[in-house]
Amino acid sequence: MRPEIAALIDTLLPRQHSRPEIDLLYRMMRDYPSRGGKGLRSELLLMTGAAYDGDPEAAAWLAAAIELFQNWVLIHDDIEDDSEERRGKPALHRAHGLPLALNAGDALHVYMWDAVFRSHVEAARNEFLEMVHRTAEGQHVDLAWVAHHEWNLTDVDYLEMVRLKTSYYTVVSPLRLGMLTAGLEPHAAFTSAGLDLGAAFQIRDDVLNLVGDAATYGKEIAGDLLEGKRTLIVLEWLREARPRERGAFLDQMRRPRDGKDPDVIADALRSILASNAVTRAQHVADDLAARGLATLEGALSDAPNRASAERIVDLVRSLATREA
Amino acid sequence: MRPEIAALIDTLLPRQHSRPEIDLLYRMMRDYPSRGGKGLRSELLLMTGAAYDGDPEAAAWLAAAIELFQNWVLIHDDIEDDSEERRGKPALHRAHGLPLALNAGDALHVYMWDAVFRSHVEAARNEFLEMVHRTAEGQHVDLAWVAHHEWNLTDVDYLEMVRLKTSYYTVVSPLRLGMLTAGLEPHAAFTSAGLDLGAAFQIRDDVLNLVGDAATYGKEIAGDLLEGKRTLIVLEWLREARPRERGAFLDQMRRPRDGKDPDVIADALRSILASNAVTRAQHVADDLAARGLATLEGALSDAPNRASAERIVDLVRSLATREA
């Protein structure tokens, strides 16, 4: 995240309270934002604003708002998935208990709206409404599959879920918000490009979760398997797996996280890595990224600031091929 | 809740989705609002708007927003307290599991902001920011005492907590928002009156939780004891209780809800009801209500619509003395 955006968030969030309990709430709200996220979404928004000669102050507040969105959502996601770690440290609900962490996520949520209002970009209010609606719908689909033990899913099901869960807040809305800071109607092509690119980004994230380096990835490796996450990789592997492997894996998936057998999960991970499921998923991500990038480059052809437009394409390309 | 406010919420929330999973999310968002809350907060807002000849359409949207606030907060509160019931039916997370319910609360939260924006009362945005900030701070204090096994608390501690947790969204903000619909700066006295009246309302709620009738109260009787809630009643009883009773109770309070012994809790409830703690708490509530009502009547003396102003006072008086 750019230092000036981190500084804006720092000025927006309350710092101290005479009641020690409320002081703890303030520290909890500052915890995830201070763990040093990469700030990809705010960067994309700021670059798009710059490409269209948008208002820098408005863009800075909206960039802060989208980082605050990411952070309150992560607090709640970590509870919903019962994740152990976030950015290399214990998840907030593991450090402070579920009730306090859930409430701190809600408290942080409203500071996101505060930042949106401070941008004075009226159209940004509806953009944030749409972005949160779509993200919550995608998150719901993902969680409903886990809750209802649903594994009878196609690639189309997966892609519909991640477009909602990841693409809007990661790519579509940052592009659109950037253009709104210039008082311009966002290009419709930003949406189709962003849906493809966000899905490519999420598939890459799923791949890294299985094959990545824990130190740079910041989450537990294979955590998605323990959390029973549906990914393109696992869905493909399940279609190819021998009945006994498939049966053993699905049996584990019916168990709560604490009841899962690490040896069986490790067997499944080895089998997944030995299959061509990872390579195939990466190919799907590459195809989506290529199509999204072509659409995005076309849409950005009217941007007056060419250097910024090119940096957007470079950033987005790096997201779909990142190593961490 | 007035039928026209329920109808506004009905038009605002999404109804159907072609994906059955997302359709379930929509039904979950409509669940608590359809359980028929009393709508006291929206009523207070609408009456205050009418007393100052405010814009009825703006008041209706803000009334819908405050009901949506109450509902998303209740979904999250029920998770935080692991409550069993809400308005006579299973709490949302008990019906659908914690992850889906937490996410549905977030999804409902943003529809609150949608309703605020539709009021076109610009000053309402900051009022909602302040209201959610204060409510989350109060909720945090309440939850932190539970999480940290803190029972060394005075009446002052309790009153500071409930002013934040209950008074802002129950009385202070409804009064202020009503005046804002008339384009007027809210009276400062609304805040001091609302803080007293909201605390009186919460103490009455605490009393009803122990002595109320389950059918009309809509929550489990003595649920507060099982959830380890700090109330004026319990704090007073603990100061008077014999060391053995006190020790047995505090031992139970250190256990998770499922580990509590119903017989020991029932003993404590009998002892509490036999003590004068309930009567004393009700006296504190009565004193706060009397002071708050006097302040409120003074502040409302400039309201052009006298009939509405008088109905506000009647409604608020009934809140602090209600039987359910």
Side-chain angles (χ1 to χ4, degrees):
Chain A
M1 198 188 321
R2 290 191 196 176
E4 62 267 34
I5 304 305
L8 267 191
I9 292 173
D10 185 56
T11 60
L12 185 65
L13 296 181
R15 182 174 295 281
Q16 281 186 310
H17 198 284
S18 55
R19 266 207 97 87
E21 298 93 333
I22 300 180
D23 208 58
L24 171 63
L25 170 63
Y26 292 173
R27 280 182 278 125
M28 289 175 70
M29 283 196 280
R30 288 169 174 273
D31 187 339
Y32 277 20
S34 74
R35 292 190 188 187
K38 291 183 280 290
L40 301 170
R41 295 159 184 89
S42 55
E43 191 60 34
L44 192 52
L45 190 160
L46 292 167
M47 284 181 181
T48 310
Y52 286 94
D53 291 326
D55 173 5
E57 199 186 342
W61 277 116
L62 293 177
I66 208 150
E67 291 295 328
L68 288 166
F69 172 77
Q70 158 95 343
N71 280 284
W72 76 254
V73 164
L74 287 178
I75 294 173
H76 284 183
D77 279 6
D78 286 347
I79 295 172
E80 288 156 3
D81 300 335
D82 196 15
S83 298
E84 292 187 359
E85 293 191 358
R86 173 62 59 186
R87 296 175 186 153
K89 289 204 260 182
L92 201 65
H93 70 288
R94 297 217 170 218
H96 298 280
L98 190 154
L100 291 179
L102 199 175
N103 185 65
D106 288 335
L108 198 58
H109 180 163
V110 285
Y111 283 97
M112 172 192 86
W113 288 107
D114 201 345
V116 172
F117 303 152
R118 285 169 197 251
S119 78
H120 298 291
V121 178
E122 292 295 298
R125 305 188 310 198
N126 268 330
E127 188 63 33
F128 270 82
L129 289 177
E130 288 300 314
M131 181 182 82
V132 188
H133 289 334
R134 298 294 85 75
T135 308
E137 287 170 1
Q139 178 72 357
H140 174 91
V141 172
D142 198 18
L143 295 170
W145 290 342
V146 174
H148 303 147
H149 307 292
E150 181 60 75
W151 285 97
N152 185 21
L153 299 164
T154 65
D155 287 5
V156 171
D157 292 321
Y158 170 87
L159 289 171
E160 197 171 329
M161 181 272 285
V162 296
R163 283 193 196 105
L164 292 167
K165 185 181 80 164
T166 306
S167 294
Y168 280 93
Y169 90 96
T170 304
V171 191
V172 174
S173 288
L175 292 171
R176 289 175 53 86
L177 288 164
M179 218 165 153
L180 288 175
T181 65
L184 297 169
E185 173 70 21
H187 291 310
F190 278 177
T191 301
S192 53
L195 290 174
D196 282 345
L197 291 162
F201 173 79
Q202 181 63 56
I203 295 169
R204 185 70 195 148
D205 196 68
D206 296 344
V207 168
L208 288 173
N209 189 279
L210 293 182
V211 307
D213 176 61
T216 54
Y217 182 61
K219 286 187 272 190
E220 8 158 32
I221 293 304
D224 283 354
L225 292 183
L226 288 167
E227 290 164 14
K229 288 281 161 198
R230 278 65 177 160
T231 64
L232 218 50
I233 305 158
V234 171
L235 294 176
E236 167 73 7
W237 174 75
L238 279 173
R239 282 191 288 266
E240 292 180 358
R242 281 168 296 185
R244 199 181 56 78
E245 277 185 326
R246 182 187 161 88
F249 179 78
L250 292 181
D251 172 60
Q252 289 294 314
M253 290 301 111
R254 276 185 289 273
R255 303 179 187 196
R257 187 190 175 109
D258 290 350
K260 288 188 171 73
D261 182 338
D263 290 342
V264 181
I265 299 294
D267 283 347
L269 179 59
R270 268 190 297 274
S271 176
I272 289 167
L273 296 178
S275 76
N276 65 11
V278 173
T279 307
R280 186 177 160 281
Q282 188 59 58
H283 281 156
V284 174
D286 293 344
D287 288 349
L288 286 167
R291 189 171 72 180
L293 279 167
T295 306
L296 181 62
E297 286 192 275
L300 287 169
S301 61
D302 66 343
N305 188 331
R306 299 311 307 159
S308 288
E310 280 162 29
R311 276 169 35 226
I312 294 169
V313 174
D314 289 345
L315 174 66
V316 169
R317 183 181 290 117
S318 74
L319 290 184
T321 56
R322 73 211 158 90
E323 293 298 322
Chain B
M1 194 188 325
R2 291 192 197 177
E4 63 266 33
I5 305 306
L8 266 192
I9 292 173
D10 185 56
T11 61
L12 185 66
L13 296 181
R15 181 172 296 280
Q16 280 187 310
H17 198 284
S18 55
R19 267 207 96 88
E21 298 93 335
I22 300 179
D23 208 58
L24 171 63
L25 169 64
Y26 292 174
R27 278 181 278 125
M28 289 175 70
M29 283 196 280
R30 287 169 174 275
D31 187 339
Y32 277 19
S34 74
R35 292 190 187 186
K38 292 183 279 291
L40 301 171
R41 295 159 184 90
S42 56
E43 192 61 35
L44 192 51
L45 190 158
L46 292 167
M47 284 181 182
T48 310
Y52 286 93
D53 291 327
D55 174 6
E57 199 187 342
W61 276 115
L62 294 177
I66 210 150
E67 291 295 328
L68 288 165
F69 172 77
Q70 157 96 340
N71 280 283
W72 76 254
V73 164
L74 287 178
I75 294 173
H76 284 183
D77 279 6
D78 286 345
I79 295 172
E80 289 156 3
D81 300 335
D82 197 15
S83 297
E84 291 187 358
E85 293 190 357
R86 172 64 57 188
R87 297 174 185 155
K89 289 204 261 183
L92 201 66
H93 70 288
R94 298 217 171 215
H96 298 280
L98 190 154
L100 291 179
L102 198 174
N103 184 65
D106 288 335
L108 198 58
H109 180 162
V110 285
Y111 282 98
M112 172 193 85
W113 287 107
D114 201 343
V116 172
F117 302 152
R118 284 168 197 251
S119 77
H120 298 292
V121 178
E122 293 295 299
R125 303 187 313 197
N126 268 331
E127 188 62 34
F128 270 82
L129 288 177
E130 287 301 314
M131 180 182 81
V132 188
H133 290 333
R134 296 296 84 75
T135 309
E137 287 169 2
Q139 178 71 357
H140 174 91
V141 173
D142 197 18
L143 295 169
W145 289 342
V146 175
H148 303 148
H149 307 291
E150 181 60 77
W151 285 97
N152 186 20
L153 299 165
T154 64
D155 287 5
V156 171
D157 292 320
Y158 171 88
L159 289 170
E160 195 171 329
M161 181 272 284
V162 298
R163 283 192 195 107
L164 292 167
K165 185 181 79 163
T166 306
S167 294
Y168 280 93
Y169 90 97
T170 303
V171 190
V172 174
S173 288
L175 292 171
R176 288 176 51 88
L177 287 163
M179 216 164 155
L180 287 174
T181 65
L184 298 169
E185 175 70 20
H187 291 311
F190 280 178
T191 301
S192 52
L195 290 174
D196 282 345
L197 291 162
F201 173 79
Q202 181 64 57
I203 295 168
R204 183 71 195 146
D205 196 69
D206 296 345
V207 169
L208 288 173
N209 189 280
L210 292 183
V211 306
D213 175 62
T216 54
Y217 182 62
K219 285 189 269 189
E220 6 158 31
I221 294 302
D224 283 354
L225 292 183
L226 288 167
E227 290 164 14
K229 289 281 162 199
R230 278 64 177 159
T231 63
L232 218 50
I233 306 159
V234 171
L235 294 176
E236 168 72 7
W237 172 75
L238 279 174
R239 281 191 290 264
E240 293 181 357
R242 282 169 293 187
R244 200 181 54 81
E245 277 185 325
R246 182 187 160 90
F249 180 78
L250 292 180
D251 172 61
Q252 289 295 315
M253 290 301 112
R254 275 186 289 273
R255 303 180 186 194
R257 185 190 176 107
D258 291 350
K260 289 189 171 73
D261 182 339
D263 290 341
V264 181
I265 299 295
D267 283 346
L269 178 59
R270 268 189 296 273
S271 175
I272 289 167
L273 296 178
S275 77
N276 66 8
V278 172
T279 308
R280 187 177 162 280
Q282 187 60 56
H283 281 156
V284 174
D286 292 344
D287 288 348
L288 286 166
R291 189 171 71 179
L293 279 167
T295 308
L296 182 62
E297 286 191 276
L300 286 170
S301 61
D302 67 341
N305 187 332
R306 298 311 306 158
S308 289
E310 279 161 30
R311 281 177 22 232
I312 294 169
V313 175
D314 289 344
L315 174 67
V316 168
R317 184 181 290 116
S318 75
L319 290 184
T321 55
R322 74 211 157 90
E323 293 299 320

